[in-house]
Amino acid sequence: MTIIKTRICDLLGIEHPIFQGGMAWVASGELAGAVSEAGGLGIIGSGQAPAQWLRQEISKVKTLTKKPFGVNIMLMSPFVDEVMQVIIEERVPVITTGAGNPGRYLPALREIGTKIIPVVASVALAKRLAKSGVDALIAEGHESGGHVGEVCTMPLVPQIVDAVDIPVLAAGGFFDGRGLLAALALGAEGIQMGTRFMCAAECTISPKIKQMVLRAKERDTAVAGRSTGHPVRCLENKLMREMDQAEKNGVPPEAIEKLGVGKLRLAMVEGDTENGSVMAGQIAGAVKKIEPAGEILADVMQSAQREWKRMQRFLPTDKRQESLGG
Ligand code: TUI
């Protein structure tokens, strides 16, 4: 059994330092429960869903596992206050946040002992949040799916690691144990994967979207909506071409924003691969099969072991330490 223990494992009481991204309209209780039960951190993506939906998904997770799990709060959601209320009532052990600054919610969460792990895309916000007492950070690079910052994972992670004292996880472009070891080498203490978990057997999205991810190559994503101030990375399709054309034609940002409304649900739930917003990261090209979440986690850990062993070849024989096992 491959063992990699970081401060994240101790902080949260999880076996492997691997988070499943809290993807809106993708990461339901079923997926989160399976990931947590297998030793990672499963995260429900609350997106723009109302509080009632979240309450139901939290109870689903609680039937699937007794282990820690998380909820992602999308800070642009109109329901963010009521979602926060549910998190407090249900005493959710871990929250991650995205698409904004969670500053004003920190005191209430700290009071109930919830671990707070914001997703950040810049050193400036990482520093500000570390000062305000969050437990860890996720540094998310431009390779990621969905709402993205400008800086790629490789330069972002070490700069955030150097700027703060709390544990940092890396997100954006991760798929297997090679990436996990690379993230550790950059100073991170774990990784978050989204795109690979879209193709987990327990993931409840439309099978048509899973097939689209399985067919995707490394150049098949693009970023749209830069003029709106919150660009999103998706697989190329008709909607993406329309948004691109609208931006080139100088259509005002509010109108471009409108083109995207309701389109994430249209893709993930209805399975509309052409008119929906198929948010996915550049690593989509590496995802080749649908498999249970537990097998994804096992594969990441086993491939980390293989890669660790391979890298030992760069050392003189008497300096080799070939096993990550315990
Ligand atoms: O949040 C994400 N990824 C997302 S959210 C989402 S749902 C959505 N739907 C329509 C439009 C926009 C989003 C899909 N994917 N990742 C975490 C993340 N947060 N990446 C970047 C950021 C971020 C960006 C700016 C965090 C903070 C920030 O600055 C806010 C501030 O006030 O400084």
Side-chain angles (χ1 to χ4, degrees):
M1 178 59 152
T2 310
I3 298 173
I4 294 176
K5 278 265 166 290
T6 69
R7 283 188 289 176
I8 286 293
C9 302
D10 297 335
L11 177 72
L12 307 181
I14 57 175
E15 209 177 322
H16 308 303
I18 302 171
F19 288 14
Q20 159 252 309
M23 301 163 281
W25 289 112
V26 174
S28 62
E30 231 153 307
L31 177 62
V35 172
S36 283
E37 183 57 17
L41 187 77
I43 302 177
I44 301 168
S46 65
Q48 312 216 23
Q52 198 46 42
W53 178 87
L54 178 60
R55 208 184 283 280
Q56 169 196 312
E57 298 305 304
I58 291 173
S59 21
K60 210 178 283 169
V61 172
K62 288 178 176 171
T63 66
L64 292 169
T65 188
K66 299 282 166 280
K67 297 183 184 177
F69 67 95
V71 170
N72 175 268
I73 302 162
M74 211 282 277
L75 292 163
M76 280 166 38
S77 165
F79 301 115
V80 61
D81 287 328
E82 50 181 276
V83 157
M84 204 59 77
Q85 203 49 46
V86 172
I87 282 163
I88 289 165
E89 283 166 25
E90 298 283 336
R91 304 227 173 256
V92 171
V94 186
I95 66 124
T96 62
T97 64
N101 183 341
R104 71 188 186 99
Y105 300 104
L106 300 183
L109 291 165
R110 216 172 282 130
E111 203 160 293
I112 58 160
T114 294
K115 301 287 185 251
I116 309 159
I117 311 185
V119 178
V120 295
S122 72
V123 172
L125 185 58
K127 276 186 176 166
R128 216 178 316 142
L129 288 170
K131 253 191 218 135
S132 69
V134 301
D135 297 279
L137 291 167
I138 301 170
E140 190 186 82
H142 189 63
E143 300 91 322
S144 309
H147 179 53
V148 287
E150 288 297 334
V151 184
C152 292
T153 304
M154 181 84 94
L156 184 68
V157 172
Q159 294 187 74
I160 289 184
V161 166
D162 286 348
V164 302
D165 292 321
I166 52 176
V168 174
L169 289 99
F174 294 99
F175 171 76
D176 64 12
R178 292 171 296 182
L180 173 56
L181 294 186
L184 297 175
L186 294 175
E189 299 190 43
I191 55 170
Q192 172 165 280
M193 297 194 302
T195 304
R196 188 171 183 185
F197 282 116
M198 288 175 75
C199 288
E202 295 88 347
C203 179
T204 47
I205 58 170
S206 161
K208 288 187 195 155
I209 299 297
K210 289 189 184 183
Q211 288 305 320
M212 195 177 173
V213 172
L214 294 178
R215 278 197 304 272
K217 300 210 169 34
E218 83 282 11
R219 300 175 67 219
D220 288 348
T221 71
V223 175
R226 281 202 166 82
S227 67
T228 67
H230 29 90
V232 290
R233 180 182 300 283
C234 303
L235 289 174
E236 290 269 22
N237 63 3
K238 180 160 166 270
L239 174 67
M240 289 292 281
R241 289 190 291 276
E242 278 168 9
M243 288 186 75
D244 194 46
Q245 202 51 55
E247 292 214 297
K248 281 187 182 128
N249 293 346
V251 171
E254 310 80 64
I256 294 197
E257 185 100 54
K258 275 215 184 98
L259 286 175
V261 172
K263 300 295 169 66
L264 184 57
R265 184 187 176 283
L266 183 65
M268 302 302 176
V269 180
E270 306 290 327
D272 191 331
T273 56
E274 279 307 312
N275 303 297
S277 182
V278 188
M279 295 182 185
Q282 288 184 324
I283 200 67
V287 181
K288 291 286 167 246
K289 61 177 180 226
I290 293 171
E291 59 191 332
E295 287 179 22
I296 294 177
L297 288 170
D299 177 65
V300 174
M301 298 312 293
Q302 281 158 14
S303 57
Q305 168 64 73
R306 275 198 304 278
E307 188 58 19
W308 176 265
K309 193 167 172 200
R310 196 189 66 83
M311 288 196 296
Q312 299 298 310
R313 281 197 254 135
F314 303 132
L315 297 175
T317 42
D318 62 324
K319 294 284 191 295
R320 290 180 189 173
Q321 165 80 53
E322 296 206 331
S323 175
L324 283 169

